[in-house]
Amino acid sequence: MSAQPIRVLVTGAAGQIAYSLLFSIAKGDVFGKDQPIVLLLLDISPMLPVLDGVVMELQDCALPLLKEVVSTDKEEVAFKDLDVAILVGSMPRRDGMERKDLLKANVAIFKSQGGALDKFAKKTVKVLVVGNPANTNCLIAAKSAPSIPKENFSCLTRLDHNRACSQVAIRCSVPATHVKNVIIWGNHSSTQYPDVHHCKVNMAGSDLPCFEAVKDDAWLKGDFIATVQQRGAAVIKARKLSSAMSAAKAICDHLRDIWSGTPEGEFISMGVYSTGNRYGVPEDLVYSFPVQIKDKSWKIVDGLDINDFSKSRMDASAAELIEERDMALSTLAV
């Protein structure tokens, strides 16, 4: 095996998303079956004993591609010479916590981690922000790492994308792989807009527009959107824990697509830097768009028709992101 190992960081590494994620990465499901990996696991000091247990389990998996596992609570160790950073750890919302207090706590975390990326990581590092509020955390990290191109930063909306694909697939009684080109526009929050106007469903061997395949416009414009928007809350209500298995799968999908590219004629959703987009989304946000990926670079899919129904929902999510951004930047300035 001649390939050089890549250095992959997971933060919040003692948490439940990481627990579902690390095996898939170490096994080669994300970066390829011949790509050796050094895993760096970062968490806060009180979680280090738990992290020791995670390291033991990774060792006990006896995986051929996993060359080394480093667990730490120090950013200068965790961020050194990184090829990939998966920023899962964030301050979760506690009962009775104001949104601005949550933002303030997370701004501090992602400012610090952005600074560590700037100082210690490779300039080619690919950064995926998962910790919520993911879009704004991603923007803060990118702004705090001025020497790393903004294009190298993205946030996770693939879970929402997968949820939307799956809802359509279940409705049409086809496998989820038969549904392509759904779009998540905007914020990874309940204002996100799952858009199926450009979606195709493969039924009986031919690709049909989603509205033709589903044959229920009221559902697609109503309950479908609400279900995808509220799915995270529904999982918490049922499991008393937030989505972990499905979030980990979405992280794998997102990174595999960055690494290997998207299939011809297909696009996926991810939160990326909005500046220069052609959909009238305000500049200087991290906003979820339809993207195609080639040679580890994404580009926003241009030229999709946007009707008034879609535009109003895209605008509402942008308005929320502007409010979040301005609140976050005001705490940065203090």
Side-chain angles (χ1 to χ4, degrees):
M1 204 182 298
S2 57
Q4 279 294 307
I6 56 170
R7 295 172 63 84
V8 179
L9 165 67
V10 177
T11 72
Q16 59 154 358
I17 291 176
Y19 193 74
S20 290
L21 172 68
L22 290 166
F23 178 66
S24 295
I25 292 174
K27 180 153 87 47
D29 289 352
V30 179
F31 301 108
K33 297 294 183 195
D34 54 1
Q35 176 58 66
I37 286 177
V38 173
L39 268 181
L40 296 113
L41 308 180
L42 178 71
D43 215 313
I44 54 175
S45 308
M47 298 307 291
L48 286 180
V50 176
L51 212 45
D52 285 342
V54 175
V55 173
M56 286 184 229
E57 283 208 73
L58 282 166
Q59 291 168 344
D60 298 348
C61 289
L63 295 161
L65 292 172
L66 188 57
K67 294 301 163 203
E68 191 185 352
V69 185
V70 178
S71 66
T72 184
D73 58 357
K74 294 179 174 57
E75 287 182 343
E76 63 272 22
V77 175
F79 285 85
K80 186 158 178 50
D81 296 334
L82 288 183
D83 296 285
V84 180
I86 310 166
L87 307 184
V88 181
S90 64
M91 168 72 78
R93 190 165 188 166
R94 310 245 185 263
D95 268 356
M97 189 186 250
E98 290 289 326
R99 189 145 145 264
K100 65 173 183 296
D101 296 331
L102 180 70
L103 263 173
K104 195 170 183 173
N106 280 299
V107 164
I109 294 168
F110 286 87
K111 180 186 179 186
S112 175
Q113 293 187 350
L117 284 163
D118 199 56
K119 199 166 170 188
F120 302 114
K122 291 180 182 169
K123 300 308 173 196
T124 53
V125 65
K126 300 293 185 192
V127 183
L128 168 57
V129 177
V130 179
N132 285 318
N135 298 59
T136 299
N137 287 345
C138 184
L139 185 68
I140 296 298
K143 285 180 178 294
S144 305
S147 70
I148 296 170
K150 296 267 189 289
E151 296 74 52
N152 291 23
F153 287 82
S154 57
C155 81
L156 190 75
T157 56
R158 185 58 170 269
L159 177 52
D160 310 303
H161 179 102
N162 288 350
R163 286 165 170 162
C165 283
S166 182
Q167 288 299 311
V168 170
I170 291 165
R171 193 76 177 195
C172 294
S173 304
V174 299
T177 48
H178 286 206
V179 180
K180 66 181 184 193
N181 297 356
V182 305
I183 303 167
I184 304 296
W185 298 98
N187 197 2
H188 174 63
S189 74
S190 59
T191 70
Q192 64 174 265
Y193 169 47
D195 177 6
V196 289
H197 288 91
H198 308 279
C199 167
K200 297 270 194 287
V201 183
N202 187 302
M203 292 181 81
S206 63
D207 279 348
L208 294 179
C210 185
F211 279 84
E212 261 177 59
V214 170
K215 295 189 175 67
D216 187 342
D217 291 14
W219 180 74
L220 283 172
K221 291 182 160 186
D223 286 352
F224 161 74
I225 291 173
T227 298
V228 176
Q229 287 174 332
Q230 304 291 339
R231 189 67 158 190
V235 170
I236 291 173
K237 191 163 187 270
R239 275 195 83 225
K240 312 292 180 265
L241 292 165
S242 58
S243 311
M245 178 176 28
S246 54
K249 159 66 166 57
I251 291 166
C252 291
D253 290 345
H254 178 119
L255 289 168
R256 189 187 309 109
D257 284 344
I258 287 180
W259 224 247
S260 307
T262 47
E264 197 60 44
E266 292 187 29
F267 45 78
I268 53 96
S269 306
M270 56 195 237
V272 296
Y273 199 55
S274 65
T275 297
N277 79 88
R278 294 181 183 168
Y279 288 105
V281 173
E283 311 238 308
D284 201 36
L285 296 173
V286 171
Y287 187 100
S288 183
F289 290 96
V291 302
Q292 288 173 319
I293 304 168
K294 195 177 174 188
D295 302 328
K296 297 192 175 69
S297 291
W298 54 265
K299 70 175 199 347
I300 295 172
V301 177
D302 281 329
L304 298 173
D305 285 334
I306 305 295
N307 62 23
D308 291 343
F309 179 87
S310 295
K311 184 80 178 106
S312 64
R313 283 158 180 78
M314 290 163 66
D315 289 348
S317 204
E320 181 182 60
L321 280 169
I322 288 169
E323 186 199 346
E324 269 186 31
R325 176 195 67 195
D326 294 349
M327 203 185 284
L329 291 178
S330 70
T331 70
L332 258 189
V334 174

